[in-house]
Amino acid sequence: MEELKVSKVLNSLPLIFERNIGQHDEKVQFILNKKECTTFFTDTELVLAFRSNEKIEKEKEIDSKLIVNSLINNLSEYKVNVLRINFEDSNKIPQIIGKNEFNCKINYFKGDNKSQWKSCIPIYEKLLYKEVYPGIDLLYYGKQTNMKLEFIVQPNKSIDCIKLNFEGADKIEIDEEGNLVVSFDDKAVNILNLEAIQGGSEEKIECKFEIEDNFKIKFNVANYDLNEVLKINMQFLFEVFKLTKVIDRRNSITMDNKNCIYITGITSIQKFPEKRVYKSIYSGKDYSSYIIKINTGKSGQLALEYAAYLGGNGVDEGTTVAVDDSGIAYIAGITNSTAGFPISGKSYLSSYPGGEISGFLVKVDTKEIGIASLVYGTYLGGNGIDVCSDIKIDSNNYVYISGFTSSKNLPIENYNYKDIVSNEEFYSFLLKMDITKRGKLALLNNSYFGDNGYNL
């Protein structure tokens, strides 16, 4: 039931158009991140990067029950198909305006240098290209399940100048229902049959696609009044990509005493693809953990109250999240970022401990804005594999983290259930920490558990 409530709130969110303030390539003005596709908005084109790890997963058997045997160990690359849509003979420097700004801002806590963090990034419900053609604006908007493009044609302006070039497609055709089918690499993106309305009327005007020179698209609108505003809508459907096993996932959800939910997991941050790149396997992708806060008592953009990416130079995955009585979130997870993890506050362990995979702990005050919201960050681990799988906070704000490890050198402090480690490959651990203290003083208790075999 709780999962259904979370999904309902997430699906109610409008699309989130993120302004580029340096977190992406300088050619990009805005970014739209969806699970199956990242869309980059430049002055002259729309660049859709569809991603899937289906080819890699066919080649490798993944044990989904063990996080340690999933993304970090086995998936260092995934497939990207790039579709570029540019507007022929359009305005090369249009005014691009974000509309309906969210109260929430996005933060990129990437790297161990605060001066390089990108924070308080504005996000919007809609994106408007002013005068993409003379007297014609282009508006992007929609829900999480779709993306719409709306051409707004002012009176006495002709639609004949609108021409869309599709680069990267293998084939473009119009199906029996009038939908545009753009095929590439055995997949297809459907753009629903055009809808056109005029003035204040909701009555639809006959409108259809026309294909010119194979990969160039024009509009044909019948019997419209040149003296009134004309709106032409295109809707993108990415259903086929929802069937692929994309990397992004949520691992842990918790709720505070005000019915706000906190979600952590892992997501891939797609880089802007080079010009003329359409089909490729990208290696060493930028995977980050994340934390978002959703107010279930609100809807639409008001529901999103906090969002941040967390990570370093490798793969970072949030595996568990807890929240204390004041609404401060604690995220624990795994990382192989040997440098650049966002260490902050009185860190217990400020450098990578040297194992194959380390744990991490981050504390975020979601009521604060920007850099001030990242209160604490530390590595947690030894000389092997360390996986944090659960986290709890008590009334004194002591942090308890459990998980499993192959490290034989986790620090042992005070009373321990088992302080002599067997030679088994993995065994469980339990940490108790006071993160108001620096370094080893923060570790109040560490216990090993386990007998024979895996202890997860």
Side-chain angles (χ1 to χ4, degrees):
M1 187 68 179
E2 196 63 48
E3 184 73 17
L4 290 174
K5 185 176 183 180
V6 171
S7 296
K8 183 178 180 180
V9 173
L10 292 177
N11 288 334
S12 76
L13 289 174
L15 293 181
I16 299 173
F17 296 93
E18 171 189 329
R19 184 184 295 279
N20 183 23
I21 64 168
Q23 73 274 25
H24 289 277
D25 189 284
E26 62 182 4
K27 293 185 288 293
V28 177
Q29 301 298 326
F30 285 82
I31 307 97
L32 172 63
N33 281 309
K34 289 173 59 62
K35 184 174 182 179
E36 63 278 356
C37 174
T38 297
T39 305
F40 301 93
F41 299 86
T42 75
D43 288 337
T44 58
E45 64 181 352
L46 183 67
V47 182
L48 298 95
F50 298 92
R51 54 186 184 264
S52 165
N53 63 352
E54 59 178 2
K55 181 176 180 180
I56 293 91
E57 289 207 2
K58 288 176 182 176
E59 296 171 355
K60 296 194 175 190
E61 291 296 325
I62 307 298
D63 184 354
S64 61
K65 296 180 180 179
L66 297 180
I67 295 175
V68 72
N69 280 339
S70 62
L71 182 61
I72 285 184
N73 278 349
N74 293 323
L75 294 179
S76 61
E77 58 184 22
Y78 60 83
K79 191 168 187 177
V80 174
N81 292 100
V82 179
L83 182 65
R84 285 180 154 87
I85 305 175
N86 58 67
F87 306 98
E88 187 173 283
D89 298 327
S90 64
N91 182 1
K92 300 305 180 186
I93 313 178
Q95 185 181 6
I96 306 175
I97 305 169
K99 308 287 286 185
N100 299 358
E101 185 174 353
F102 283 64
N103 291 328
C104 177
K105 312 298 180 192
I106 288 182
N107 305 294
Y108 281 72
F109 298 134
K110 300 280 290 176
D112 52 9
N113 186 345
K114 286 187 178 181
S115 66
Q116 296 179 356
W117 292 352
K118 306 299 180 184
S119 63
C120 295
I121 299 170
I123 54 178
Y124 305 86
E125 282 190 30
K126 299 179 180 182
L127 190 60
L128 179 67
Y129 277 58
K130 288 288 292 182
E131 297 279 325
V132 65
Y133 292 103
I136 301 176
D137 297 338
L138 176 56
L139 183 67
Y140 297 88
Y141 65 100
K143 295 290 187 182
Q144 291 298 312
T145 52
N146 60 55
M147 179 175 71
K148 293 183 178 181
L149 280 66
E150 181 176 271
F151 288 90
I152 306 170
V153 184
Q154 297 302 318
N156 301 312
K157 299 297 180 180
S158 172
I159 67 168
D160 292 342
C161 61
I162 301 175
K163 294 181 181 179
L164 282 63
N165 292 319
F166 286 76
E167 299 181 20
D170 296 326
K171 183 172 65 173
I172 297 179
E173 56 188 348
I174 300 171
D175 66 17
E176 294 179 354
E177 297 178 353
N179 304 318
L180 191 67
V181 181
V182 183
S183 302
F184 50 88
D185 199 29
D186 299 324
K187 293 187 176 62
V189 173
N190 290 336
I191 303 176
L192 296 187
N193 190 11
L194 294 171
E195 291 186 353
I197 58 174
Q198 192 152 42
S201 171
E202 293 298 320
E203 185 177 349
K204 294 178 182 179
I205 302 171
E206 184 180 351
C207 184
K208 61 184 180 180
F209 293 107
E210 288 187 356
I211 299 177
E212 182 180 282
D213 299 330
N214 292 326
F215 297 103
K216 187 180 297 181
I217 301 301
K218 296 183 65 177
F219 301 156
N220 186 334
V221 182
N223 300 321
Y224 69 96
D225 188 347
L226 279 171
N227 296 314
E228 292 188 1
V229 173
L230 175 68
K231 295 182 179 180
I232 304 173
N233 288 290
M234 299 170 55
Q235 180 171 331
F236 283 73
L237 292 184
F238 305 136
E239 294 296 332
V240 66
F241 286 89
K242 292 181 180 180
L243 301 178
T244 63
K245 296 181 179 179
V246 188
I247 297 92
D248 301 8
R249 63 178 174 234
R250 60 178 184 257
N251 291 325
S252 180
I253 301 174
T254 192
M255 180 175 286
D256 65 16
N257 53 17
K258 296 183 178 180
N259 290 326
C260 291
I261 57 175
Y262 301 73
I263 305 172
T264 191
I266 187 168
T267 187
S268 52
I269 300 178
Q270 177 63 47
K271 294 180 180 178
F272 182 65
E274 295 289 337
K275 188 70 175 174
R276 305 302 176 190
V277 170
Y278 302 108
K279 302 179 182 70
S280 182
I281 296 289
Y282 286 71
S283 298
K285 294 314 299 174
D286 188 356
Y287 300 101
S288 286
S289 58
Y290 64 86
I291 174 67
I292 61 174
K293 177 183 178 181
I294 301 288
N295 189 330
T296 60
K298 298 179 181 179
S299 61
Q301 65 147 274
L302 294 176
L304 183 63
E305 295 196 350
Y306 186 86
Y309 296 99
L310 306 162
N313 66 349
V315 176
D316 313 278
E317 180 165 8
T319 56
T320 180
V321 60
V323 60
D324 66 22
D325 292 338
S326 62
I328 295 177
Y330 299 74
I331 305 98
I334 54 177
T335 180
N336 65 3
S337 291
T338 55
F341 193 83
I343 302 300
S344 187
K346 299 177 180 180
S347 175
Y348 163 71
L349 188 60
S350 60
S351 60
Y352 193 78
E356 183 179 348
I357 297 172
S358 174
F360 71 78
L361 170 64
V362 172
K363 177 182 176 181
V364 173
D365 185 348
T366 59
K367 298 184 295 298
E368 292 288 342
I369 299 173
I371 291 176
S373 65
L374 185 60
V375 179
Y376 182 87
T378 186
Y379 288 106
L380 292 172
N383 60 1
I385 293 173
D386 308 285
V387 176
C388 301
S389 55
D390 198 11
I391 186 170
K392 294 289 186 291
I393 314 299
D394 70 14
S395 59
N396 295 314
N397 286 341
Y398 291 144
V399 181
Y400 299 81
I401 300 174
S402 63
F404 58 93
T405 180
S406 65
S407 294
K408 305 300 190 290
N409 66 334
L410 285 182
I412 304 297
E413 301 290 339
N414 300 331
Y415 172 75
N416 291 276
Y417 173 79
K418 186 172 184 177
D419 58 10
I420 300 176
V421 178
S422 68
N423 291 322
E424 304 304 333
E425 187 171 354
F426 285 101
Y427 37 90
S428 300
F429 67 82
L430 174 65
L431 304 178
K432 179 182 179 182
M433 301 182 69
D434 179 357
I435 62 174
T436 64
K437 297 179 180 179
R438 188 182 300 276
K440 291 185 177 181
L441 294 176
L443 187 61
L444 304 181
N445 188 287
N446 179 20
S447 302
Y448 287 113
F449 300 86
D451 292 309
N452 297 321
Y454 287 79
N455 300 278
L456 311 181

